[in-house]
Amino acid sequence: CFAQLDNLSRFQVATKTRKYTVPTKEMIETLKELCNDKRNIVFVVSGKERHSLTETLNDIPNLGLAAEHGMFISWPNSSTGNKRIWETLVPDQDRSWRSIAITIMEVYASRTHGSYIEETEMKVLWQYRDADPEFGYLQARELEDHLSNVLRSFSVDILHGGVEEGGYVEVRPKGVNKGVVATHILKNVPKITTWEKIDFLLVLGDDHCDEPMLSVMRQVGRRAIDASRARNHEPPLPPLPASVTLVDVSSCDNYVSSSLATFTCTVGKKPSAAANYLHDVDEVQDSLDTLVKVSTRDHKFYSSVDLRNLDQGGFQLPLQNSSLLSSFTMNMPKKLGGVSRSVSMNNIRSMTTEFKKPEPTVSKNLTDFLGTIEDEDDDDDPFFF
């Protein structure tokens, strides 16, 4: 995801020790620039709640949002400031597991100083990032085992993550993760755009919750490469690393181009399903700014190849640029200060069509071939020594 948001205002212990983090102004502006390009589809997939994402990112037109690891999806909309429409990834199921999970978590929160319970619309978490790291980790492992035994008959997933940042134990409905929502978005692209297939994928993530998304998208890209190599009778690539969790992504084949370019990237040098990494958030900002510059440059500058294609109708300059260029060249004098004005390739071609080559003639005798030879009088021009 492009940005990780944090909303723990419900718990005083968290608001006192950690600031409420939001994307920087530079990141907001970069997202706006990327979303303004009609060739892009941009989604922010976050683990935070819907109201947190809406409060922070609702003013960015054409931006798609996915809250709580993809449980709720809001498709891109050109209007801003309006109330967003959210869809649910999985149907509402039995929620009786929530009260059971909270009761068990309260026992561990009471005996682990600095830990607390967080509830959202979809999940329940036991956070221990403000507790003693070593003791909190041991309690989290015990809590994970306890919940797994008690809730094994419920359709839920129990996750222990975020260890690098303090850690938490989370209980959420089964089948909800960023990998599932990524494939769901990919399959629905034809419904929200005029595109038939995707030809470029850039996936950014920064923690373990993003690994399912990175794994899925990397496999989607690998399938496109393998299919292309098979058509060209080339040998297959080596297997994907063990850090990639293998899943069936064949259902996405009809929604991606055969020449798909896929880039998966994690933030920080660590074991990951991503094929690439950036050192920190500043490098993420620089990379996205580069994409904006490339996108803007494509609309302003043209290469010599583009100019050659003008004569063939394969490339068209914007109307205002064409008229400006024509008026400038027409009013320009043929010679300026003894220097002849250069002409374009189009003009050269038109000149060659108007220029008629003289028809070749065959001399009938030596006199016609040599022409008339005039004798010069050497005495008329004196020589001085």
Side-chain angles (χ1 to χ4, degrees), residues 49-118:
E49 298 174 87
R50 290 185 284 180
H51 65 84
S52 298
L53 296 182
T54 302
E55 180 181 350
T56 308
L57 303 173
N58 199 39
D59 292 333
I60 303 179
N62 302 316
L63 176 65
L65 298 177
E68 300 205 36
H69 305 288
M71 180 67 178
F72 304 102
I73 305 171
S74 179
W75 298 100
N77 194 332
S78 58
S79 61
T80 59
N82 298 333
K83 186 177 180 180
R84 277 189 171 265
I85 300 175
W86 294 87
E87 299 178 3
T88 305
L89 183 62
V90 297
D92 195 8
Q93 301 172 344
D94 179 21
R95 294 196 173 191
S96 59
W97 58 266
R98 294 176 66 94
S99 59
I100 300 175
I102 291 174
T103 301
I104 297 174
M105 289 179 178
E106 286 176 346
V107 175
Y108 287 84
S110 63
R111 65 189 191 191
T112 309
H113 181 70
S115 66
Y116 54 88
I117 302 171
E118 178 184 353

Side-chain angles (χ1 to χ4, degrees), residues 11-22:
F11 302 94
Q12 294 299 319
V13 63
T15 56
K16 290 180 180 179
T17 57
R18 296 179 183 268
K19 294 181 64 177
Y20 177 77
T21 58
V22 296

Side-chain angles (χ1 to χ4, degrees), residues 115-134:
S115 66
Y116 54 88
I117 302 171
E118 178 184 353
E119 293 183 62
T120 69
E121 295 179 80
M122 181 195 72
K123 60 182 181 289
V124 180
L125 299 93
W126 181 74
Q127 294 272 9
Y128 65 94
R129 63 183 184 183
D130 292 319
D132 178 77
E134 185 174 350

Side-chain angles (χ1 to χ4, degrees), residues 266-278:
T266 187
V267 181
K269 190 175 183 180
K270 57 182 179 288
S272 172
N276 310 281
Y277 74 94
L278 296 169

